[in-house]
Amino acid sequence: MDSSNRHLKITVIVLTYNSSRYLDGCFGTLGRMETDGLEVKVVAVDNGSSDGTPDEIRKRWPRVKVVDSGGNIGFAAGNNLAMRRAVDSGDDYVFLLNHDTEVEPGFLKEAVLAMERDPKIGSAQSLLLLHPERDLVNGTGNAIHFMGFGYCMDYRKRADSIDRETVRDIPYASGAAVLYRCDSLRTTGLFDDSLFMYHEDLDLGWRLRLCGFRNVLAPKSVVYHKYEFSRSIGKYYYMERNRYIVLLKNLRLWTFVVLAPGLVLTEAVLMLAAFHGGWWRKKFQALMYFMDSRSWRNILAERGRVEKIRKVSDRRIVREFTPVIRGQESTSLFAHFIANPLMEAAWRLMRLFII
């Protein structure tokens, strides 16, 4: 490929955790990727697998560098281990890839071509299709709800019904299959280790936009995701805690004040949902996180760092926020017919006061 006569250096990072059943699909298809004009290395960061995953990778794919994280340190910190090395060593790009994926041969080349169109593009997500339902979409980028939720767009739409040609802006890119520009990461920083898992990609995508970078979908870069909607109650702690951490880090104080009535109402609805769904203990655990002064010291330090790198106003950022949740497995009739219309009306009013 022609990349302005530059020999681009790229690290593909796969975070593994008891991933033995996925290795053939992931590393088998990575072995067939097109790398013309690219200097590519593949790194597997293992988060303390107990099923022999790192040894199997070393034995079957000896060109893959395996890094032992020392235990399950989370999605954010695990990926950061390899991302930091790539950024510090002068790489041009890093590509994060979930272990439960399979890739088209040209997935990396097409993502790079999308990035090379504009130096202000900080991230490019591949078109994520479901596996084995390869004619259905997993995600064309992720939406940001103004209450801090993130979710994949166009979930389970037919792949032939979407635009497969146009590189286009998205609110943020999914960490399941995304190319980041290292120069952008040197400005924004990497994932927030404290998030552990969930919302770390939303947080980074938000920071990229705050710094004036773009997040785009590269639809010709195709990755198949063996996506399973997690019904584990344990996830609710991180999802609830992390959405507030991200809001508190990245919103200016006045914007948070404007959103406060909606946040209070959302809390009441979520508390009822937590009791009904049996995850109320996780909800209270998430709230208790904010009772610890150490949590606030970290949040305030992150707020200060974000303000130092910020180039874009909240008014401009929230243009891409959505007041509705659609097309997700967890979307209920209550959300569709009652909550979404109410949130749409509230958002039309609240966004008028955001500066």
Side-chain angles (χ1 to χ4, degrees), residues 16 23 27 42-49 51-70 85:
T16 59
L23 298 182
F27 291 99
V42 180
V43 176
V45 179
D46 189 72
N47 253 357
S49 294
D51 66 349
T53 289
D55 289 337
E56 188 174 351
I57 295 172
R58 290 186 183 100
K59 179 180 179 180
R60 298 181 59 192
W61 296 280
R63 293 187 178 180
V64 175
K65 179 178 176 59
V66 179
V67 176
D68 184 356
S69 71
R85 294 182 186 183

Side-chain angles (χ1 to χ4, degrees), residues 173-340:
S174 168
V178 55
L179 184 69
Y180 289 115
R181 187 186 303 274
C182 289
D183 276 348
S184 301
L185 297 178
R186 293 182 185 103
T187 299
T188 62
L190 308 179
F191 288 145
D192 182 344
D193 285 357
S194 71
L195 297 178
F196 193 77
M197 63 179 181
Y198 295 120
H199 288 77
E200 66 289 307
D201 48 3
L202 188 159
D203 175 52
L204 180 51
W206 193 333
R207 273 184 280 132
L208 284 165
R209 294 188 60 229
L210 281 171
C211 290
F213 296 109
R214 299 168 59 197
N215 302 310
V216 303
L217 174 72
K220 292 184 179 181
S221 171
V222 178
V223 173
Y224 302 99
H225 191 194
K226 299 167 186 176
Y227 176 78
E228 296 178 10
F229 180 75
S230 172
R231 301 188 185 278
S232 167
I233 286 178
K235 71 178 182 180
Y236 287 106
Y237 167 71
Y238 292 107
M239 292 177 70
E240 284 299 287
R241 184 196 70 158
N242 290 357
R243 73 181 179 89
Y244 268 102
I245 291 175
V246 173
L247 289 172
L248 288 164
K249 284 174 54 177
N250 296 315
L251 288 175
R252 283 185 164 148
L253 181 59
W254 171 247
T255 307
F256 204 85
V257 170
V258 172
L259 294 180
L263 290 168
V264 171
L265 180 59
T266 301
E267 277 303 298
V269 173
L270 283 173
M271 194 62 72
L272 292 174
F275 276 104
H276 182 265
W279 51 276
W280 60 271
R281 290 183 179 85
K282 295 299 179 183
K283 178 63 177 169
F284 277 108
Q285 185 184 355
L287 292 175
M288 290 304 297
Y289 174 84
F290 298 97
M291 300 296 107
D292 189 330
S293 62
R294 292 172 297 180
S295 302
W296 282 100
R297 282 198 294 270
N298 179 65
I299 290 169
L300 291 174
E302 285 294 306
R303 279 186 63 84
R305 193 172 70 82
V306 167
E307 279 302 306
K308 287 180 180 178
I309 62 175
R310 175 194 285 267
K311 295 181 179 178
V312 176
S313 67
D314 280 354
R315 178 182 286 273
R316 183 171 159 193
I317 291 292
V318 302
R319 288 176 187 169
E320 292 190 18
F321 283 11
T322 178
V324 300
I325 297 177
R326 291 194 177 103
Q328 307 303 295
E329 292 186 25
S330 57
T331 304
S332 64
L333 292 176
F334 172 80
H336 184 73
F337 290 105
I338 299 176
N340 280 346

Side-chain angles (χ1 to χ4, degrees), residues 7 12 44 62 81 91-92 103 108 162 190 216 219 247 259 264 333 342 348:
H7 202 53
V12 177
L81 282 177
D91 279 16
D92 296 288
V103 300
L108 186 59
I162 64 169
L190 308 179
V216 303
L247 289 172
L259 294 180
V264 171
L333 292 176
L342 288 174
R348 280 197 295 270

